[in-house]
Amino acid sequence: MEEYRVNNQMEEVLDKELEALMESMPDYGRLEKAIERSIKRKIKRIVYRTVAAVMAALLIVFLGVSPAMNAIYTNPAKLNEEPDKTLQKVMRTYWETLEPYIEVIGMDVEEKGFARYEISMEVANHREALYVGTPNTKVKMVCGKYKDGETNQLLYHTLGRFRMEESAEEMIEDFKELPKSAKIYLSVREKTPRMVEELQKEAIELEWIQVYQPNVEFQGGLNMYLQGAFDDKDRKRRNMNAEELKEVYVANLEQLQAYPQLWEEWKLKNDNVVFVYDIEGILEETLEDAKQIEVLQSQNYCISGQRDEIVEYLEKTELVSIKIDDISLIG
């Protein structure tokens, strides 16, 4: 009997201790939430560390690879820095040399990283009103190559400009039907070359001349006035004599020769021919020939004037090609 009481007391003690132990343990709901919170904290720490490591790696790649690529490939941003503005000058020279009326008067280059750039330009068309400070043309450069852009029909080449078989007599009659105040822009080809100084004295506006160089394949040109100016020579373009114009022309060709990587993709063309091979060699021949010019002449050139001025000029000048570039009905 005594042994039974002892055993019974021991069972009671064990039951009390077990109850106390159970009471000290959290219920399953609280335990599950505690475990979930702990896991989430650990996952967040892992995610944060992973993201930080990835961002650090990308930053290292960007800081290392991007500048390296910018150094390897043509960097238009660096070439367009003040005070030289080399890129803008080369692009202005290129379009002036190959196309009448077109002038690059402003440029800004935005770096996109990894040898990628966006080039915004203000391109003037001398036949239209000029809006200063408003970029109207954009092109992209990726690894030294020009990509798609928004040229707004400004940066393009016209082939056969001076090979139009139009009748001067019929054109004159059509022009006489226009208002007297109408302004007419023409690209013309004379039967024989004329001295540029003679053309400058005519009662029309001489817009652009192609320098007469019969000994070479490529013949470039000059705008006879500029709407944007880098220096005094630019401001005086319309009043320059033949020798001064020749100096500008030679300097332009030398500039194109120095930076072929900035314009070769836009092509080299001569009226109705696009040169594909040995572009630098062809340009070199033109440059060397230009240095030897003694009398500056032009056979292909562009003019503008009021209706009566143009009609009078067409009546007295022997032209073999006439192309209407534009007619502005002012009145």
Side-chain angles (χ1 to χ4, degrees), residues 226-237:
L226 297 173
Q227 293 179 320
F230 284 104
D231 50 40
D232 287 339
K233 287 185 178 180
D234 290 345
R235 297 183 183 93
K236 298 176 181 177
R237 181 73 66 88

Side-chain angles (χ1 to χ4, degrees), residues 164-178 184 186 188 307 310-324:
M164 308 295 290
E165 297 180 359
E166 297 286 349
S167 168
E169 291 77 13
E170 292 181 6
M171 195 171 290
I172 289 171
E173 293 305 314
D174 290 339
F175 287 162
K176 288 181 178 179
E177 299 295 323
L178 296 172
I184 303 170
L186 301 177
V188 302
R307 182 199 68 182
I310 292 296
V311 167
E312 181 182 351
Y313 190 78
L314 294 181
E315 289 175 335
K316 73 171 188 173
T317 309
E318 192 171 2
L319 302 173
V320 295
S321 173
I322 308 172
K323 175 183 179 298
I324 300 174

Side-chain angles (χ1 to χ4, degrees), residues 7 46 64 72 105 144 146 172 198 206 251 257 285:
N7 290 336
I46 293 171
I72 293 172
I105 64 172
Y146 291 105
I172 289 171
E198 289 182 7
L206 189 59
Q257 184 186 54
E285 290 178 353

Side-chain angles (χ1 to χ4, degrees), residues 184 194 198-207 238 301-314 316-317:
I184 303 170
R194 287 179 64 190
E198 289 182 7
L199 293 172
Q200 289 176 299
K201 295 176 183 178
E202 293 285 359
I204 42 86
E205 292 291 341
L206 189 59
E207 297 277 345
R238 192 180 287 279
Y301 54 90
C302 300
I303 59 175
S304 69
Q306 304 300 121
R307 182 199 68 182
D308 292 345
E309 295 171 340
I310 292 296
V311 167
E312 181 182 351
Y313 190 78
L314 294 181
K316 73 171 188 173
T317 309

